[in-house]
């Protein structure tokens, strides 16, 4: 399994030769200015919620690649109006079996307005199950006790957690989330893009280390194999 970081909360994960893209926000992100969005590949696009910093490039990439978009029902309707054809709408608690593995939608505590002001449905996170490993993509969320269900439900090999605070949980709550999901291998997201979510990287890494957790902060444009996270 390979992971590519495109900035903010946007990651590409390759599983069994299939390319899964999470929350595509690239072209408006000044920190990702060296990423050519027109070259980003996807077989599936997973959208956790409707905010612009998670859907900005979703329509363009979906139309160019014909990737299947996995999202909630309301975002699916919004995408249909924008002439995106390949959509699989879901909701919290639902699970779908695909050619690379399974996607289960789980709760996220956040808001979800779309860029045009329309209602974006309930925000979600995703648990991905595959023969190459299981992982949790939290999306934008506060710390919630529902996360304990994820740790009880499946062995999670690694997780993408927001750590920027202000709009989502911050570092201290993310460390608690590690305990809830029973996973100590974390990839940080939703930090540094805006002034209000900037973090002290050295302090953040030290906090995770003191708690017995491994936090990886990937460079934008970097690709890593999951075995290199250890």
């Amino acid at each position: 399994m390979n992971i590519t970081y495109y900035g903010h909360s946007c990651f590409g994960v390759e599983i069994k030769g299939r390319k899964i893209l999470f929350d595509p926000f690239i072209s408006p992100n000044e920190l990702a200015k060296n990423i050519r969005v027109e070259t980003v590949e996807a077989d599936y696009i997973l959208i956790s919620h409707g905010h612009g910093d998670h859907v900005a490039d979703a329509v363009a990439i979906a139309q160019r690649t014909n990737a299947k978009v996995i999202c909630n029902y309301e975002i699916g309707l919004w995408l249909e109006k924008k002439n995106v054809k390949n959509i699989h709408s879901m909701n919290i608690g639902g699970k779908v079996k695909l050619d690379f593995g399974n996607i289960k939608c789980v709760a996220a505590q956040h808001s979800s307005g779309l860029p045009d002001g329309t209602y974006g449905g309930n925000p979600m996170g995703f648990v991905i199950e595959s023969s190459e490993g299981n992982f949790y993509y939290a999306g934008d969320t506060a710390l919630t006790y529902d996360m304990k269900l994820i740790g009880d439900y499946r062995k999670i090999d690694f997780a993408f957690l927001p750590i920027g605070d202000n709009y989502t949980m911050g570092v201290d709550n993310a460390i608690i989330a590690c305990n809830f999901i029973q996973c100590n291998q974390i990839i940080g997201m939703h930090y540094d893009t805006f002034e209000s979510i900037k973090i002290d990287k050295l302090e953040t890494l030290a906090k995770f280390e003191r708690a017995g957790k491994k936090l990886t902060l990937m460079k934008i444009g970097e690709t890593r194999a999951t075995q290199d996270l250890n």
Side-chain angles (χ1 to χ4, degrees), residues 190-215:
H190 207 278
Y191 67 92
D192 277 7
T193 314
F194 315 115
E195 186 65 33
S196 56
I197 59 173
K198 286 187 175 179
I199 64 169
D200 183 321
K201 291 186 178 68
L202 291 180
E203 180 183 358
T204 296
L205 290 164
K207 279 189 172 185
F208 271 81
E209 185 176 2
R210 288 195 297 269
K213 322 295 182 188
K214 173 65 185 300
L215 175 67

Side-chain angles (χ1 to χ4, degrees), residues 19 24 33 49 51 67 72 80 86 113 126 151 167 173-176 182 192 200:
K19 299 180 187 302
K33 61 185 178 183
H49 66 291
H51 289 161
N72 68 29
E80 284 180 358
N86 195 2
F126 303 101
Y167 298 111
N173 279 181
I175 290 171
I176 297 172
Q182 301 176 41
D192 277 7
D200 183 321

Side-chain angles (χ1 to χ4, degrees), residues 21-68:
L21 183 67
F22 291 84
D23 284 358
F25 170 74
I26 302 169
S27 59
N29 183 1
E30 180 63 24
L31 299 182
K33 61 185 178 183
N34 292 327
I35 302 293
R36 294 175 57 208
V37 70
E38 65 272 14
T39 67
V40 174
E41 298 179 0
D43 297 301
Y44 297 92
I45 299 172
L46 275 61
I47 299 176
S48 66
H49 66 291
H51 289 161
D53 60 329
H54 294 259
V55 303
D57 296 302
V59 172
I61 295 175
Q63 290 175 340
R64 173 173 56 81
T65 63
N66 197 37
K68 184 181 290 294

Side-chain angles (χ1 to χ4, degrees), residues 5-175:
Y5 185 39
Y6 296 110
H8 198 50
S9 298
C10 183
F11 292 86
V13 180
E14 185 173 352
I15 307 172
K16 298 172 70 173
R18 307 299 272 171
K19 299 180 187 302
I20 301 99
L21 183 67
F22 291 84
D23 284 358
F25 170 74
I26 302 169
S27 59
N29 183 1
E30 180 63 24
L31 299 182
K33 61 185 178 183
N34 292 327
I35 302 293
R36 294 175 57 208
V37 70
E38 65 272 14
T39 67
V40 174
E41 298 179 0
D43 297 301
Y44 297 92
I45 299 172
L46 275 61
I47 299 176
S48 66
H49 66 291
H51 289 161
D53 60 329
H54 294 259
V55 303
D57 296 302
V59 172
I61 295 175
Q63 290 175 340
R64 173 173 56 81
T65 63
N66 197 37
K68 184 181 290 294
V69 182
I70 310 292
C71 59
N72 68 29
Y73 177 74
E74 289 80 5
I75 293 174
L77 293 178
W78 179 76
L79 290 170
E80 284 180 358
K81 292 176 182 177
K82 295 186 176 295
N83 205 33
V84 174
K85 304 295 186 183
N86 195 2
I87 301 168
H88 183 90
S89 296
M90 299 185 68
N91 216 321
I92 295 168
K95 183 176 181 178
V96 62
K97 184 175 182 179
L98 300 167
D99 53 4
F100 65 86
N102 300 328
I103 298 174
K104 184 173 180 63
C105 299
V106 296
Q109 186 63 42
H110 196 59
S111 55
S112 183
L114 286 156
D116 62 3
T118 56
Y119 175 55
N122 291 321
M124 303 188 296
F126 303 101
V127 174
I128 310 300
E129 307 165 331
S130 82
S131 61
E132 296 184 5
N134 303 328
F135 66 90
Y136 168 46
Y137 179 89
D140 280 11
T141 186
L143 175 69
T144 75
Y145 211 62
D146 285 342
M147 291 175 181
K148 288 183 69 68
L149 297 173
I150 296 169
D152 292 340
Y153 173 76
R154 278 289 179 269
K155 179 184 181 297
I156 301 297
D157 297 300
F158 65 94
F160 297 95
L161 297 182
I163 56 173
D165 217 340
N166 198 71
Y167 298 111
T168 66
M169 62 184 175
V171 174
D172 294 337
N173 279 181
I175 290 171

